[in-house]
Amino acid sequence: MARLLSVNVGLPKEVPWRGRTVWTGIWKTAVTKRRLVRRLNIDGDGQGDLIGHGGEHRAVLVYQIDCYRYWEAQFHRSDFTFGQFGENFTVDGLPDNEVCVGDRYRIGGALFEVTQPRVTCYRVGIRMREPRMAALLVSSLRPGFYFRVVEEGEVGAGDEISKVAAGPESITVSQANALLYLPGHPRDQLERALRIPALSSGWQGSFRALLERGVHDASETGNPGLAPESGPLPAWGGFRSLEVTGKTRESDDVFSLALAPRDLASLPLPSAGQFIVLRLKPDPGAAPLLRSFSLSDAPGTSVYRIGIKREPQGIASGYLHEHVQVGDDLDVSAPRGNFILHPGDEPVVLLSAGIGITPMLSMLHALAASRSSRSIRWIYGARNAAHHPFAEETRRLLALLPHANANVLYSKPDASDPPGLHYDVRGRVTMRVLEQLGVPRNAEFFLCGPAGFMRDLRTGLRNYGVSADHLHVEVFGPGESATPGLINERHRAPRSLDVVAGHFSISFTRSGVTAGWNDDYRSLLEVAEACDVPVQWSCCTGVCHRCEIGLVAGTVQYDPEPLERPAGGNVLTCCSKPESDVVIDL
């Protein structure tokens, strides 16, 4: 008979880590008296990160004494105490390779249901004084698991654990853990897992994403159950030289460049909405400038067109505007990105402002080329006609689409901008405007524009009822940070650090900064953080893929080797080091 050996609780506290402060509830201590287990927690217990831990499906964490003995042998340690792995219940029995998702157990006065394997993060490594612990728990198939509380009640050390119901499909905790995190992902097992009602919604979403990938090559797609779709595999790595074959003024502050191979060879066909990276060398003695620009023309194989806004203090845009001419050569990356218009029948809403029009224009070209019968809403905001790029081109394309509806807003129209001719409404694109226009909630929304525009509409559309999988955004600058558990962090603008001769350079395209690599860094992630580049991470050992991002140029080595490699053209920054100069889409 399985038995509850210890009930462990602990409230979050501040813990020092690598010169920073972490807010974590990973430290649990055994209690001697019986404790009431409630729907979301055990009395006296708490979690520091309620996004990654806690909640109804992760109310109680369970770990086995046999795993204690395994890890003591692995690490040659004998100092473990109950709660060592952050678990609430230390148990004798209930091994991960026998317990199934959906099983129900009676312990003391409470009834529990197994909902998912444990999700590991870097904080278990802090507690164990072993940085690779998150990966080791997963790769050893000894992660532990979570209980949902079906019936509240008191529990205590010594209580017997009796199984009262078996979960459907008989998928063990170890099998579910491997199905998500390790290579393989057999389709039949994914389908079985999705038939388990007890499986938490987060794991269901991950398994659905893996199932929808179908038979695609995992070396190209990576693990969509962990990382968002990264788009098609880039046609080439690094940069190739393309000739500037056209330079056109599109508005008072926007011009376009057309780029094509000198040998007139065909270019790889991009997807509507993708971007390219330019490597510019205005000063031969300084580090190159790297800037991303969305393709703005119809997806084609003869020429790539980009639209560029002339920024008053923009070094790169100034160089392109003043010095680059037709006939010059530029270093260009392959088209990349997952901000893509996919075929379908759903209504489409293309929302943009300012230079954010460029990827939307590529999508509009693609829709017009196919004479799409989809319902299309084109909503665009500019200052006035003088600052409205591609205006005539847009009107011409919209006229080709039988179910297209356009609404153009000018925030400061001139007297020469009569309403109804150049624009429809005075003002800015806001949620109030979208509600007045009656945009459909079930549409595929594509959003691109200035930071404030993006922030307000992204939040507003979610509140409006647009589902997360129908809301697609493209951010030209740095994204948002996600550094779970860190507190008292100072947020500063990204900054470059010196590149020392003989050292690899690490360049971040969206942030526009460069740094030199040295052996004091543990990973590319640490270089990004040293430059104050916004980053996202969780496990720091190549398990969760939260740090996965585009690798535009260069090669890396992994230490530790991730449990599953990222998608082609991507990199896991948390566990990689450069083998050459590296360019990253951050």
Side-chain angles (χ1 to χ4, degrees):
M1 173 71 72
R3 189 173 298 277
L4 177 60
L5 298 180
S6 179
V7 177
N8 315 304
V9 301
L11 295 175
K13 63 180 182 179
E14 294 184 4
V15 176
W17 178 67
R18 296 180 180 177
R20 306 162 92 171
T21 303
V22 178
W23 180 249
T24 177
I26 192 72
W27 265 262
K28 307 294 184 188
T29 304
V31 296
T32 57
K33 296 182 179 179
R34 300 183 69 79
R35 287 291 173 111
L36 178 61
V37 181
R38 303 182 188 273
R39 187 176 65 87
L40 297 180
N41 227 323
I42 303 172
D43 279 359
D45 192 47
Q47 296 84 28
D49 173 16
L50 293 178
I51 296 177
H53 306 281
E56 179 182 358
H57 288 86
R58 297 175 298 201
V60 177
L61 178 59
V62 181
Y63 209 52
Q64 306 88 359
I65 195 65
D66 283 349
C67 291
Y68 271 64
R69 295 169 183 140
Y70 173 84
W71 293 117
E72 285 173 338
Q74 292 294 310
F75 299 142
H76 306 289
R77 290 173 60 177
S78 58
D79 59 339
F80 292 175
T81 59
F82 289 139
Q84 184 75 34
F85 297 84
E87 80 277 10
N88 300 112
F89 289 175
T90 312
V91 300
D92 187 3
L94 304 188
D96 289 344
N97 62 356
E98 294 181 12
V99 170
C100 295
V101 179
D103 285 354
R104 288 193 172 192
Y105 294 91
R106 173 72 65 180
I107 308 176
L111 180 64
F112 302 91
E113 182 176 63
V114 179
T115 58
Q116 65 173 69
R118 174 195 188 133
V119 175
T120 59
C121 73
Y122 74 105
R123 281 160 288 203
V124 70
I126 300 175
R127 177 70 178 88
M128 292 295 298
R129 305 197 308 275
E130 171 50 67
R132 303 187 184 197
M133 197 67 218
L136 293 173
L137 287 169
V138 174
S139 62
S140 69
L141 302 182
R142 293 174 172 84
F145 57 87
Y146 285 106
F147 273 150
R148 178 174 75 91
V149 181
V150 180
E151 295 177 7
E152 297 181 349
E154 287 190 346
V155 300
D159 285 349
E160 291 186 351
I161 303 174
S162 59
K163 184 175 180 179
V164 298
E169 303 299 331
S170 299
I171 291 183
T172 68
V173 169
S174 293
Q175 288 171 331
N177 167 82
L179 189 57
L180 177 59
Y181 290 112
L182 303 183
H185 321 292
R187 183 180 185 86
D188 63 328
Q189 290 190 32
L190 292 169
E191 292 173 339
R192 287 174 53 208
L194 286 170
R195 291 195 291 266
I196 304 175
L199 185 67
S200 66
S201 59
W203 280 67
Q204 288 182 20
S206 293
F207 287 152
R208 275 195 296 270
L210 284 164
L211 194 60
E212 290 168 1
R213 180 180 67 184
V215 296
H216 298 305
D217 185 355
S219 66
E220 294 185 8
T221 61
N223 188 326
L226 298 175
E229 180 187 2
S230 59
L233 183 68
W236 69 83
F239 297 89
R240 62 181 288 188
S241 179
L242 295 181
E243 180 188 5
V244 178
T245 59
K247 186 173 184 179
T248 306
R249 177 177 171 179
E250 307 292 354
S251 70
D252 277 7
D253 56 357
V254 173
F255 61 99
S256 63
L257 295 180
L259 305 165
R262 283 192 176 273
D263 59 6
L264 302 181
S266 294
L267 290 167
L269 184 68
S271 298
Q274 288 193 299
F275 67 90
I276 58 176
V277 179
L278 300 189
R279 182 171 62 186
L280 308 173
K281 302 174 182 177
D283 181 354
L289 301 177
L290 296 125
R291 298 293 187 270
S292 301
F293 299 97
S294 292
L295 297 170
S296 60
D297 206 351
T301 60
S302 61
V303 65
Y304 290 163
R305 185 184 72 171
I306 57 174
I308 303 157
K309 182 181 179 183
R310 175 67 170 97
E311 300 287 355
Q313 304 299 320
I315 299 174
S317 66
Y319 171 72
L320 290 169
H321 180 264
E322 296 167 9
H323 298 285
V324 172
Q325 303 298 329
V326 172
D328 291 344
D329 290 328
L330 293 176
D331 291 340
V332 182
S333 79
R336 60 190 309 132
N338 63 355
F339 189 69
I340 293 172
L341 176 69
H342 293 287
D345 300 321
E346 302 94 340
V348 177
V349 179
L350 304 177
L351 276 169
S352 61
I355 194 60
I357 192 174
T358 51
M360 306 303 182
L361 188 56
S362 177
M363 295 180 186
L364 192 61
H365 269 287
L367 290 165
S370 66
R371 296 297 193 270
S372 175
S373 60
R374 298 171 76 167
S375 172
I376 301 162
R377 303 295 294 269
W378 174 271
I379 302 172
Y380 175 70
R383 184 183 306 170
N384 48 45
H387 295 84
H388 183 173
F390 309 105
E392 185 54 40
E393 182 177 335
T394 302
R395 286 191 282 268
R396 186 179 70 253
L397 294 170
L398 288 165
L400 299 174
L401 293 161
H403 302 292
N405 185 292
N407 297 98
V408 176
L409 291 87
Y410 284 177
S411 60
K412 295 181 179 179
D414 289 342
S416 59
D417 297 330
L421 181 61
H422 293 156
Y423 74 105
D424 304 294
V425 179
R426 183 185 183 115
R428 300 181 184 276
V429 180
T430 64
M431 277 309 305
R432 183 177 179 182
V433 169
L434 300 185
E435 291 169 3
Q436 290 172 344
L437 293 174
V439 295
R441 291 174 171 81
N442 65 335
E444 291 281 348
F445 283 79
F446 293 86
L447 180 64
C448 187
F453 167 90
M454 299 277 285
R455 181 182 60 250
D456 294 345
L457 289 188
R458 190 174 189 176
T459 301
L461 287 168
R462 292 299 304 272
N463 294 335
Y464 187 59
V466 178
S467 63
D469 60 342
H470 278 57
L471 180 55
H472 314 280
V473 299
E474 179 68 300
V475 180
F476 286 137
E480 297 178 351
S481 285
T483 53
L486 293 184
I487 60 176
N488 303 324
E489 292 288 287
R490 295 177 60 187
H491 298 287
R492 295 172 290 199
R495 59 198 177 95
S496 291
L497 299 175
D498 289 340
V499 179
V500 179
H503 286 223
F504 298 135
S505 65
I506 316 299
S507 300
F508 303 98
T509 60
R510 291 182 185 264
S511 299
V513 300
T514 298
W517 171 266
N518 65 65
D519 291 336
D520 291 336
Y521 295 117
R522 297 180 181 89
S523 66
L524 291 173
L525 174 63
E526 289 197 359
V527 182
E529 292 191 313
C531 294
D532 295 310
V533 170
V535 291
Q536 298 194 4
W537 52 265
S538 181
C539 72
C540 292
T541 55
V543 177
C544 71
H545 286 234
R546 195 170 188 180
C547 70
E548 183 172 336
I549 200 69
L551 179 63
V552 179
T555 57
V556 302
Q557 60 178 318
Y558 284 105
D559 182 19
E561 180 70 24
L563 300 186
E564 185 164 23
R565 287 284 181 125
N570 285 0
V571 64
L572 299 179
T573 60
C574 78
C575 56
S576 57
K577 298 179 180 180
E579 293 183 318
S580 65
D581 292 345
V582 166
V583 178
I584 303 173
D585 185 30
L586 273 175

